[in-house]
Amino acid sequence: MTQLAKVYGGALYELCAGDGIDKEVLEQLDAVSALFAENPAYVRLLDTPTLPKPERTGLVDGAFSGKAHPYLVNFIKILCERGELSAFAGCAAAYRARYHEAHGIVEAKAVSAVPLTDAQQKALQEKLHGVTGKEILLSCRVDPSVLGGVRLSMDGYEFDSTVKHRLEAIRAGLLGTIA
């Protein structure tokens, strides 16, 4: 995430939090981010410097006015006017990070060889909540190459209790004693 994204996303968060609409705008940011990801040509069009600014901002008004909060619509227009719409995803990530920090939420990602059951996911969330004291947003992914166990990424840390990791550690230990 760029410094510009941190500043812009943080400024939008502060504005929305001050008015108590931070959750509403976060949901809309996610929807707009998904829309932009599905339509990269639209983002390029809105970011084209040869298209006059009034036309670009008019396109934004036509697409989002009445469907998104005016703060978000104006935010997108500011990015268009400055030719920085490509930073939108980073701005949304910065906004989300500020929101999570303010609301005591931590994102965690679990990778396992087989899908975790709902009960396992809930138990993992409860365990992580007990350790951190924060609400845990858990996303799970399956990667058969881990062979077994779970690799967990959270708050910039990675905890790896996979069979693959353990086998690699044993291999490294054996190679270290032979060398």
Side-chain angles (χ1 to χ4, degrees), residues 75-111:
F75 181 75
I76 296 168
K77 288 172 24 178
I78 288 169
L79 291 176
C80 283
E81 289 173 350
R82 297 188 178 175
E84 299 287 356
L85 193 60
S86 60
F88 184 84
C91 295
Y95 184 102
R96 185 176 303 101
R98 294 285 299 274
Y99 179 87
H100 286 175
E101 181 182 333
H103 292 35
I105 300 171
V106 175
E107 290 186 25
K109 295 177 182 150
V111 178

Side-chain angles (χ1 to χ4, degrees), residues 1-168:
M1 170 181 346
T2 65
Q3 185 62 30
L4 177 125
K6 286 180 185 177
V7 170
Y8 279 32
L12 179 62
Y13 175 77
E14 290 299 322
L15 178 65
C16 295
D19 283 355
I21 57 167
D22 50 340
K23 183 175 183 173
E24 173 190 347
V25 172
L26 176 64
E27 292 167 357
Q28 292 175 4
L29 268 170
D30 289 340
V32 172
S33 293
L35 181 72
F36 284 171
E38 292 170 8
N39 300 288
Y42 181 67
V43 175
R44 282 192 303 276
L45 174 68
L46 294 177
D47 225 8
T48 303
T50 56
L51 188 63
K53 290 178 186 178
E55 288 184 34
R56 286 186 274 162
T57 58
L59 289 170
V60 171
D61 276 330
F64 298 107
S65 287
K67 297 175 186 124
H69 192 278
Y71 288 171
L72 180 55
V73 175
N74 289 335
F75 181 75
I76 296 168
K77 288 172 24 178
I78 288 169
L79 291 176
C80 283
E81 289 173 350
R82 297 188 178 175
E84 299 287 356
L85 193 60
S86 60
F88 184 84
C91 295
Y95 184 102
R96 185 176 303 101
R98 294 285 299 274
Y99 179 87
H100 286 175
E101 181 182 333
H103 292 35
I105 300 171
V106 175
E107 290 186 25
K109 295 177 182 150
V111 178
S112 58
V114 295
L116 297 177
T117 65
D118 289 341
Q120 289 170 324
Q121 289 180 32
K122 185 174 180 177
L124 181 57
Q125 280 180 303
E126 289 173 359
K127 180 74 171 175
L128 293 172
H129 174 70
V131 171
T132 64
K134 297 182 178 187
E135 179 184 342
I136 305 297
L137 291 180
L138 181 65
S139 62
C140 299
R141 185 172 61 88
V142 174
D143 180 359
S145 74
V146 301
L147 304 176
V150 176
R151 181 175 58 236
L152 182 70
S153 301
M154 181 178 78
D155 248 1
Y157 296 99
E158 188 163 299
F159 308 95
D160 196 339
S161 67
T162 62
V163 172
K164 180 179 179 181
H165 176 73
R166 291 177 188 170
L167 290 173
E168 288 171 354

